[in-house]
């Protein structure tokens, strides 16, 4: 009996049951509270689930497949990137969590773009951002499904198409039926599975290779640069610094990270979400990264580095543990897709529809939400049929693009009263144009070997400030909502 | 708003200190002598220091990020 298949199917069955159960919860909620329930899980989530939502949402296939793959390919020089992943929850919730928590309750914001609507009072900003979110996140979701399908296929022996269906259809079930309520229930199970899977893989790999000392000797024999913090100059400190900024200071620019900030029930839950997130991200990142690194010492001949995690699970771990690790890796990917599906759906089905047809009823939004969610996931699955190469670079590309456009309007918008919609539009356009140029015709914008997003982001922030100062102030109503005391 | 600014300042200061020390360990310690069977910079910068920082962040978050009511409705806050 193939234990990997059995345990993975059991996990998938539980997720499907969660989807059906959460559907019943959402359906029992009065129609007037539907949006809050479907998109923000009633805004009543505790610290552990908030920790998992943000950590699981931000740590994608890039972490669960790409991370071990990059450590396999580039040795310790990539393992050090894990340091900056640990504090994603901190750098998202601590800077904006309190403001989002207060304002979301004042204006009944349940989506990412509701916050923009409250702050910038602009239909154009909402429609452009919805387009941007869809443009970057749909292909990103597609790559996540590719990662999941590859892992399932490699570990169970099923075809790529069947594996794609196995990894993605269940996400469609619990997202479409249960919305954020279904996602939050699923993520609790997934967070636990991910953690157990990562720990099993790490200890199994260390045990198999015979410890770090032996693996370091083997790695040094293969290529001494694998022990260097720069991979012999391939990753200079400036590159590492730009990545540290991307997943640290600028992380508030990531739309799907905002979900956690919209759903926690009180500031105590937010604080727990921060430090619990640090613990889980530490375990996930290092357990997987070091497994990939040590995997090179066990088998240096893998042609696709991203396959090291599943290869270890199949060849190093006993069958039943292999199934748990498989479920853990796929769960890590599914949490990201679910968070993105909620963000994209809410942007289109709630915000854009409301802008285009202000008289739309909640019942109509309810129907539109489920159809849009189903459609988005179906498109992502269709995109997954085109298999991209190394996942990590695509992840960084999408994240960098979103941050270049939205970091200034989000962070400065929360703390600087003078910021306005004109500054936001300028930031989005400048960020996008320069980011496109940095990736194509003007690679010189990647100064000192930094990632392409860095200069566009700084320029976008500069233009946000300058254009805001040169144009009218935001309305008194906005100032009252964001900086005023309770009425 | 004061609480939000304090929380923002804490996050940026904590992460900046973490970043600086990480870089000092990564690029300042060198590879030998090995520690725990791995290069010295990795053992200190990628294992010991992150573990210490994660342990430290728990009391720091609880202390420096204030508990504030998120709603203007006192009844809802009690719930």
């Amino acid at each position: 009996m193939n234990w990997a298949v059995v345990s993975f199917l059991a996990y998938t069955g539980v997720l499907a049951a969660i989807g059906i159960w959460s559907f019943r919860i959402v359906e029992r909620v009065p129609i007037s509270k539907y949006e809050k329930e479907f998109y923000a899980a009633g805004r009543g989530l505790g610290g552990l689930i908030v920790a998992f939502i943000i950590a699981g949402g931000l740590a994608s296939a890039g972490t669960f497949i790409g991370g071990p793959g990059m450590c396999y390919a580039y040795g310790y020089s990539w393992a050090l990137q894990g340091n900056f992943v640990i504090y994603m929850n901190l750098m998202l919730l601590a800077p904006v969590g309190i403001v989002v928590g207060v304002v979301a309750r004042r204006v009944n914001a349940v989506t990412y773009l509701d916050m923009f609507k409250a702050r910038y009072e602009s239909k154009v900003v909402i429609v452009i951002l919805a387009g941007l979110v869809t443009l970057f996140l749909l292909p990103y979701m597609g790559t996540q499904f590719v990662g999941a399908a590859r892992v399932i296929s490699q570990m169970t022996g099923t075809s790529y198409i069947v594996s794609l269906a196995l990894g993605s259809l269940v996400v469609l079930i619990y997202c479409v039926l249960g919305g954020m309520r279904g996602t939050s229930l699923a993520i609790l199970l997934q967070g636990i599975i991910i953690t157990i899977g990562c720990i099993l893989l790490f200890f199994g790999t260390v045990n198999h290779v015979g410890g770090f000392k032996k693996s370091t000797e083997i790695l040094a024999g293969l290529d001494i640069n694998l022990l260097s913090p720069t991979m012999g100059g391939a990753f200079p400190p400036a590159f590492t610094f730009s990545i540290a900024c991307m997943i640290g200071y600028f992380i508030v620019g990531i739309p799907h990270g905002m979900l956690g900030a919209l759903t926690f029930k009180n500031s105590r839950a937010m604080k727990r979400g921060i430090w619990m997130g640090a613990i889980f991200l530490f375990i996930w990142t290092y357990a997987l990264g070091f497994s990939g690194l040590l995997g090179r010492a066990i088998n240096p001949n893998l042609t696709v580095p991203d396959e090291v995690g599943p290869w270890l699970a199949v060849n190093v771990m006993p069958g039943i543990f292999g199934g748990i690790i498989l479920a853990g890796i796929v769960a890590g990917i599914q949490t990201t897709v679910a968070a993105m599906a909620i963000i994209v759906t809410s942007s289109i089905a709630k915000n854009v529809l409301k802008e285009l047809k202000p008289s739309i009823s909640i019942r109509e939004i309810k129907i539109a939400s489920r159809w849009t969610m189903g459609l988005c996931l179906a498109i992502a699955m269709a995109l997954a049929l085109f298999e991209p190469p190394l996942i990590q670079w695509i992840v960084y590309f999408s994240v960098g693009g979103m941050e270049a456009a939205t970091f200034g309007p989000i962070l400065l918008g929360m703390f600087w009263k003078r910021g306005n919609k004109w500054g936001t539009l300028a930031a989005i356009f400048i960020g996008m144009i320069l980011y496109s140029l940095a990736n194509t015709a003007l690679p010189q914008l990647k100064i000192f070997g930094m990632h392409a997003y860095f200069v566009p982001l700084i320029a976008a922030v500069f233009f946000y400030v300058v254009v805001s100062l040169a144009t009218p102030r935001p309305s008194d109503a906005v100032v009252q909502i964001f900086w005023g005391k309770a009425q | 708003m004061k609480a939000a600014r304090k929380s923002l300042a804490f996050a940026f200061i904590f992460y900046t200190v973490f970043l600086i020390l990480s870089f000092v360990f990564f690029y300042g310690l060198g590879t030998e002598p090995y520690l725990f069977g791995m290069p010295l910079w990795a053992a200190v910068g990628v294992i010991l220091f992150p573990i210490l920082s994660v342990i430290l962040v728990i009391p720091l978050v609880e202390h420096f990020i204030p508990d504030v009511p998120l709603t203007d409705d006192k009844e809802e806050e009690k719930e």
Side-chain angles (χ1 to χ4, degrees), chain A residues 45 200 432:
Chain A
L45 300 183
L200 284 174
M432 280 299 88

Side-chain angles (χ1 to χ4, degrees), chain B residues 42-64:
Chain B
V44 176
V46 184
I47 302 286
L48 290 179
F49 177 56
I51 290 175
L52 185 71
S53 76
V54 169
I55 293 169
L56 198 64
V57 84
I58 300 170
L60 288 179
V61 164
E62 292 293 341
H63 185 263
F64 285 106

Side-chain angles (χ1 to χ4, degrees), chain A residues 79-101:
Chain A
L80 63 81
Q81 310 282 351
N83 270 33
F84 313 116
V85 174
I86 300 171
Y87 291 112
M88 288 198 297
N89 282 38
L90 170 78
M91 295 309 288
L92 190 115
L93 283 177
V96 299
I98 292 175
V99 181
V100 172

Side-chain angles (χ1 to χ4, degrees), chain A residues 31-338:
Chain A
I31 192 75
S32 59
K33 292 184 179 172
Y34 172 78
E35 288 181 0
K36 191 169 156 185
E37 186 65 29
F38 190 81
Y39 287 122
R43 217 171 350 247
L45 300 183
L48 181 63
I49 297 183
V50 169
F52 280 147
I53 285 176
I54 298 178
L58 293 175
S60 64
T63 301
F64 295 101
I65 297 175
M70 297 297 253
C71 288
Y72 180 92
Y74 304 118
Y76 281 98
S77 69
W78 202 266
L80 63 81
Q81 310 282 351
N83 270 33
F84 313 116
V85 174
I86 300 171
Y87 291 112
M88 288 198 297
N89 282 38
L90 170 78
M91 295 309 288
L92 190 115
L93 283 177
V96 299
I98 292 175
V99 181
V100 172
V102 170
V103 172
R105 283 160 178 80
R106 283 184 178 172
V107 300
N108 197 26
V110 293
T111 72
Y112 167 69
L113 290 185
D114 282 347
M115 291 299 297
F116 273 91
K117 176 80 179 165
R119 178 63 183 84
Y120 295 112
E121 297 180 302
S122 166
K123 191 183 283 190
V124 180
V125 168
I126 298 303
V127 173
I128 290 174
L129 277 175
L132 208 63
V133 163
T134 310
L135 185 75
F136 275 107
L137 294 194
L138 275 185
Y140 193 156
M141 285 160 68
T143 65
Q144 302 299 301
F145 281 144
V146 171
R150 277 183 186 155
V151 176
I152 296 168
S153 174
Q154 197 182 358
M155 289 188 65
T156 62
T158 51
S159 71
Y160 178 77
I161 301 291
V162 173
S163 303
L164 180 63
L166 268 175
S168 54
L169 283 178
V170 73
V171 182
L172 194 133
I173 291 172
Y174 73 74
C175 281
V176 172
L177 293 180
M180 191 61 210
R181 176 61 70 191
T183 302
S184 64
L185 289 171
I187 219 160
L188 189 60
L189 169 73
Q190 290 165 321
I192 294 165
I193 297 273
I194 295 167
T195 308
I196 294 170
C198 289
I199 292 171
L200 284 174
L201 186 65
F202 174 74
F203 284 107
T205 308
V206 172
N207 183 51
H208 192 273
V209 77
F212 274 95
K213 188 165 183 271
K214 193 172 172 196
S215 72
T216 302
E217 287 167 3
I218 297 170
L219 291 174
L222 290 170
D223 181 355
I224 195 68
N225 286 329
L226 291 168
L227 308 185
S228 142
T230 61
M231 190 67 196
F235 301 118
F239 174 81
T240 303
F241 176 72
S242 65
I243 296 295
C245 291
M246 178 196 276
I247 52 187
Y249 299 119
F250 305 142
I251 199 83
V252 292
I254 307 276
H256 51 288
M258 194 65 87
L259 271 186
L262 285 162
T263 51
F264 58 74
K265 64 181 172 188
N266 53 33
S267 57
R268 183 160 288 279
M270 182 191 85
K271 285 159 65 170
R272 286 181 182 159
I274 290 173
W275 60 256
M276 284 181 184
I279 295 171
F280 289 119
L281 282 168
F282 174 81
I283 294 170
W284 299 351
T285 308
Y286 284 113
L288 287 170
F290 276 109
S291 298
L293 181 70
L294 300 188
R296 179 87 180 247
I298 297 171
N299 178 4
N301 301 318
L302 287 178
T303 47
V304 181
D306 279 357
E307 290 178 354
V308 65
W311 185 89
L312 288 169
V314 170
N315 293 286
V316 170
M317 306 298 295
I320 184 81
F321 289 160
I324 296 171
I325 293 163
L326 166 64
I329 295 173
V330 175
I333 295 167
Q334 288 169 330
T335 53
T336 304
V337 177

